[in-house]
Amino acid sequence: MTMTNLRHDIRNVAIIAHVDHGKTTLVDALLKQSHTFRENQEVGSLIMDTNDLEREKGITILAKNTSIRHGDVTINIIDTPGHADFGGEVERVLNMADGCLLLVDAAEGPMPQTRFVLRKAFEVGLRIVVVINKVDRKNADPERTLNRVHDLFLELAEDADQLEAPVVYAIAKEGRAGLRPDDLAADLEPLFQTIIASIPAPIAEQGGFQMLVANRAHDDYTGTISIGRISRGRVAPGDVIAVLGAEAAARQARVVQVLMYRGLDRVAVPSASAGDIVLFGVNTSPFTGREGRFSTTRQLRARIYKELDTNLGLHVEDTQAAERFLVSGRGELHLAVLIETMRREGYEFEVSRPEAIVKRINGQLMEPVEHLTVDVREDNLGPVTEALGKRRGEMLEIIYDRKGGVRLEYLIPTRGLIGFRNTFLTLTAGNGLMGSIGMGYRPFLGEFREQRNGALTASSAGKSLAFGLAGAQERGTTFIEPGEEVYEGMIVGIQKRPGDIRVNVCREKKQSNIRSSTSDISVRLTPASRLSLEQSLDFLADDELLEVTPKHLRLRKRHLTEVDQSRARRLSEAAGIGS
C-alpha cells in the first residue's frame, strides 16, 4: 500500500495563454511583489525572457521555471510559450503543475492557442484560475470575454468539476488585480490569495524515487540537467537511479547535483522530494567561409544534433547528400528561431523553402490542417477571404463585432499558411491579427499554385552600383543597396510580374565629356526593401535557397548560372516524362 500526504507548503502553477496576452508581464509583477529581488536590485521588465531573441520578438520561446514565496507557501511558476510553434514545450511542462492560470486578453478574448493549451490542461486534470488581463484597454469587454471563456469551458471540459473556475481581473503591467473588473486592488494580493485557495496542494507519495522528466537543459560542467516534478520518494546527490528512455530500456545513472528553483536561480540542495520541414545544408555560395566561423559539414551536423538535447520539439534526419539535413519543427517560427540562434553563434549555412509534412495513411495521402483565426477591419474582408480561398481555406465562422471589426475562422492546410503572413500584413496594412493551431491530418486537398512575382537575379559577380540598381528598379523592387557584394544567381529583388529576370546590378554608366543635365549626373534610387529572416523564408520558391551567415541573409537560386539552371530544368522535365 502506497502512503501519500499533501504538501500544503507548495503550489505548482503553470501560466498559459495565447501569444501577447500578457503572461510574461504578469510573471514580472508576481516576482517583484513577492520580494524575490533586493529592494535596490535593477531587474527591468520581461524578466523571464532571458535570451536576446525572446526580448527582441517579444514572445516566450522556451518554457521556464521560477519560484516565489507568499507567506509560508512556495509557489512554483511555469511560464509557458504562447505561440503554437512552441506547443511542444507546453504539452510537456503541464505535467509538472497541479493547476494553471489561464490568461485571456479582455479585448481579444480566447484565441486559437487558448483553445489548445486549455484542452491540454483539462486532459492532465489541472484546476483552472481564469485571469482576464488588460481590462484597461480602450476596447476591452471583460463581460463578453468571460462569456466566450465559459463557452470554451463547456466545449473542452473533461468533467463537470472543471467548469467551476474562479475568475480574477487584472492589469498585469500595473501589477493590479481584483475579483471585479471595476474594483482592482493596488497590488496582486487577490490573485495570490486565489492561487493558494483554488490550486490544490501537490500529493507526495512515499516510496522509491520517481520523476517524470518534462524538460532538459545542458551545463558544460555537469552535463545534462533533467527538469521535472518528483511524484514519489526522495533524491540526493550520489544516488544511483534508473533512467527509462522512449523505448523503456532502463540505464543506470548517478545523480551529480540536485537543484531547486529559488526565484530565477537554480540552487543546489542536499535532497529533494516528492508539421513544418526545412532543409539545412552546408553553405555552397561563392562567399562561403567569409563571414562565419563554422561552415563545414561536420560543424553544422554536430551543432544541429546538439540542439536535440534541449529542443525536444525538433527532429533531425540525415539525407542521401552528406552536406544536407532534414530538420522538422512545429512551424516556421520554431525553425526561424533555431536559424537565428545558429547564425548568431557564428554558423553559416543554407536553408530551403519550408514545406508541410505530408503523410500516406492507410494508402491515402494526408496533410496537416490548422484552425486559423484572423481579426480584420471590414474594409479588408474581401481581399483576405479571397487570399484564403486561393489557399484552400474553408470558412467555418464569421463574426462582426459592431465596431467595424470582423473575426474569421478557417480550416486551412498548413501549406496554405506558408508565406501567408506577409501577404496578410500587406492586405490589412499591418492592422490584422492572426493565429492558428494544428488540428491533425485530413485528406490532401489538391495542388494550388501561389502567385509570386519573378525574382531579379544578378547576372554577374561584383559590387553593386547605383546605375545598375537604377536599371533593376525599372523592373521591380530591389533588396540591396549600392556597394554590396553580389554573385551570379543571387536574388537582388522581385520584379513586377511572374518570371525571373537576370539583371546587371554591377553595371556602371559609360563615361563621356558631355552632360545633358544635372539629373544625368546623380542617380535617384528607391531605398532597398530589406527582408527579415521570417520574410525571407516566406519568400522562397522551390528552386531557391536562403544563405544564412552571421552578417547577412542572402536569397539565391539553387542553381546559380544559366547553364546550371537549364540543365536542372531538362533533368526535371525528363524525370516528369519518365514517371
Side-chain angles (χ1 to χ4, degrees), residues 473-516:
Q473 288 189 351
E474 293 176 1
R475 304 290 191 99
T477 303
T478 52
F479 297 158
I480 63 171
E481 300 283 2
E484 292 189 33
E485 292 277 351
V486 300
Y487 51 81
E488 184 180 1
M490 178 175 156
I491 297 173
V492 296
I494 183 169
Q495 75 140 328
K496 299 174 182 178
R497 51 183 61 86
D500 298 338
I501 298 178
R502 293 167 64 83
V503 292
N504 184 3
V505 293
C506 304
R507 184 162 61 102
E508 59 181 330
K509 182 173 174 58
K510 292 182 179 179
Q511 300 295 321
S512 73
N513 59 358
I514 299 174
R515 290 287 181 269
S516 59

Side-chain angles (χ1 to χ4, degrees), residues 379-390:
D379 297 345
N380 308 130
L381 183 59
V384 170
T385 54
E386 182 182 359
L388 288 170
K390 290 179 178 177

Side-chain angles (χ1 to χ4, degrees), residues 307-350:
E307 183 70 16
L308 298 179
D309 288 341
T310 54
N311 195 340
L312 303 185
L314 203 69
H315 181 68
V316 180
E317 298 175 47
D318 289 319
T319 67
Q320 292 180 343
E323 72 279 4
R324 292 195 180 96
F325 310 93
L326 201 62
V327 182
S328 307
R330 286 292 187 111
E332 287 177 89
L333 183 59
H334 187 196
L335 296 168
V337 167
L338 172 60
I339 293 167
E340 182 64 29
T341 300
M342 289 175 61
R343 75 183 285 238
R344 293 186 183 200
E345 292 173 355
Y347 288 85
E348 61 174 65
F349 49 95
E350 294 170 347

Side-chain angles (χ1 to χ4, degrees), residues 95 105 109 178 214 222 293 415 504:
N95 290 299
D105 189 301
T222 59
R293 290 183 294 140
R415 61 195 169 99
N504 184 3

